[in-house]
Amino acid sequence: MLGMENSRMIYQFSSLLRFDDLVHVVTSARFDQYDDFNIADHVGLNCESAMRNRRLVCDSVEINCDRLTTGQQVHKTNVAVVTAQDVGRGSEGWGSAIPETDALVTNLGDTPIMVISADCLLVLLYDPVQRAIGVIHASWRTTFGGIIGKTVDTMRQNFRTEPGDLIVGMGPGAGVCCYEVDDPFVETISSRSEILPFVVRRNDTQYFDLPGAVRSELVRSGVQADRIEQMNRCTICDTNFFSYRRQGKSAGRFGLIASLR
Ligand SMILES: [Zn+2]
């Protein structure tokens, strides 16, 4: 994971930078002089600046903001296959985004897809063989619901992606250092025995290892462990990112944007 120019506080996965036909970026709460760099127009304190902020970050890495395609994230497991008629849905904000969509995949060039978060993990899947990408909003709920496997399967069915070919970046998100959970949460999680081990106990408190759970879901879906790059930044304790746990309703959103050239 490389940080680009320090004042910008945007990030790229070093394992994905070597591919000429892919462009991607992970944003944070900061960019140049802005210290509340919210890219969601429907939540957060400075949501009226979201469209300007999206354009600034897209321009900085040469992503075509006018064709930016997003979903209305609702913590469900629907995966949108972005086709020509979907291009640009959400580019004018939440109202025009694809409804009930927490993951998007596409094989179209010049078609940036985006997911946003304040604590949830954002995941980028890249298939260099069939030339296709996917982005996932991996909350505990979507992860528990199987969104990782569903997204990999959707790429397999639509683009003939072999999961073993995928190169994956896992962005910032709630870390096991801070992500405290309660008994009802653990009870819910316990119905999936593969996820339950990612509840860990320290000093009589329970924490959920969301990145660990997402990583194991990726591997279970056929992704090779050594092709997963983890950013390892916890949004709850790292104030360079937005956190719903830390900031509540005033939390803006950071994002992951990816596009085939
Ligand atoms: Zn932390």
Side-chain angles (χ1 to χ4, degrees), residues 91-149:
S91 65
E92 287 162 14
W94 174 266
S96 63
I98 303 170
E100 298 203 346
T101 296
D102 286 75
L104 304 100
V105 300
T106 193
N107 62 352
L108 298 177
D110 191 28
T111 302
I113 49 180
M114 177 175 81
V115 281
I116 60 173
S117 164
D119 286 342
C120 297
L121 214 88
L122 302 180
V123 183
L124 168 56
L125 310 174
Y126 171 60
D127 176 355
V129 178
Q130 300 295 341
R131 214 181 111 84
I133 52 172
V135 292
I136 307 172
H137 169 234
S139 64
W140 79 261
R141 206 178 281 279
T142 64
T143 302
F144 172 74
I147 198 168
I148 307 287

Side-chain angles (χ1 to χ4, degrees), residues 175 177-178 234 236-238:
C177 44
C178 300
C234 169
I236 301 176
C237 58
D238 187 335

Side-chain angles (χ1 to χ4, degrees), residues 1 10-11 16 30 56 62 78 100 129 143 188 192 218 251 256 258:
M1 172 60 56
I10 55 178
Y11 301 88
L16 290 166
R30 308 181 202 291
L56 284 171
E62 296 184 342
N78 300 325
E100 298 203 346
V129 178
T143 302
T188 304
R192 273 198 67 193
L218 285 163
L256 164 64

Side-chain angles (χ1 to χ4, degrees), residues 4-258:
M4 295 175 66
E5 304 160 50
N6 279 340
S7 63
R8 292 223 155 139
M9 302 286 294
I10 55 178
Y11 301 88
Q12 292 176 307
F13 298 102
S14 44
S15 57
L16 290 166
L17 274 178
R18 62 195 168 94
F19 296 99
D20 290 338
D21 68 338
L22 175 74
V23 58
H24 76 282
V25 65
V26 178
T27 74
S28 71
R30 308 181 202 291
F31 187 93
D32 287 344
Q33 72 270 36
Y34 305 108
D35 61 3
D36 189 17
F37 195 69
N38 180 14
I39 58 165
D41 67 312
H42 66 300
V43 285
L45 291 180
N46 290 311
C47 51
E48 71 285 349
S49 307
M51 293 301 139
R52 175 204 65 196
N53 293 347
R54 287 183 188 185
R55 193 159 292 278
L56 284 171
V57 74
C58 283
D59 288 351
S60 73
V61 291
E62 296 184 342
I63 282 175
N64 185 347
C65 200
D66 295 326
R67 287 171 64 87
L68 189 64
T69 308
T70 66
Q72 294 177 350
Q73 297 175 189
V74 289
H75 298 276
K76 292 186 181 177
T77 60
N78 300 325
V79 182
V81 181
V82 176
T83 57
Q85 69 240 39
D86 299 313
V87 171
R89 292 180 73 181
S91 65
E92 287 162 14
W94 174 266
S96 63
I98 303 170
E100 298 203 346
T101 296
D102 286 75
L104 304 100
V105 300
T106 193
N107 62 352
L108 298 177
D110 191 28
T111 302
I113 49 180
M114 177 175 81
V115 281
I116 60 173
S117 164
D119 286 342
C120 297
L121 214 88
L122 302 180
V123 183
L124 168 56
L125 310 174
Y126 171 60
D127 176 355
V129 178
Q130 300 295 341
R131 214 181 111 84
I133 52 172
V135 292
I136 307 172
H137 169 234
S139 64
W140 79 261
R141 206 178 281 279
T142 64
T143 302
F144 172 74
I147 198 168
I148 307 287
K150 222 177 143 183
T151 307
V152 172
D153 280 347
T154 304
M155 292 183 74
R156 194 202 319 248
Q157 284 157 18
N158 287 272
F159 312 132
R160 302 181 182 206
T161 291
E162 283 294 335
D165 291 335
L166 287 169
I167 300 168
V168 177
M170 289 172 48
V176 69
C177 44
C178 300
Y179 192 2
E180 213 176 309
V181 292
D182 57 13
D183 289 336
F185 174 94
V186 178
E187 202 168 309
T188 304
I189 287 286
S190 65
S191 68
R192 273 198 67 193
S193 57
E194 317 93 325
I195 304 265
L196 187 61
F198 295 98
V199 174
V200 299
R201 287 176 178 75
R202 284 196 310 269
N203 306 323
D204 294 329
T205 305
Q206 303 174 106
Y207 298 86
F208 184 52
D209 180 4
L210 177 62
V214 167
R215 188 184 174 84
S216 87
E217 287 283 280
L218 285 163
V219 171
R220 190 170 305 109
S221 305
V223 175
Q224 295 184 39
D226 62 358
R227 295 192 177 190
I228 303 172
E229 180 177 346
Q230 287 185 244
M231 195 163 154
N232 286 326
R233 300 284 286 270
C234 169
T235 50
I236 301 176
C237 58
D238 187 335
T239 57
N240 287 315
F241 295 94
F242 294 110
S243 167
Y244 192 82
R245 282 280 176 119
R246 175 168 35 82
Q247 299 172 294
K249 289 204 185 306
S250 66
R253 297 292 184 271
F254 58 87
L256 164 64
I257 309 172

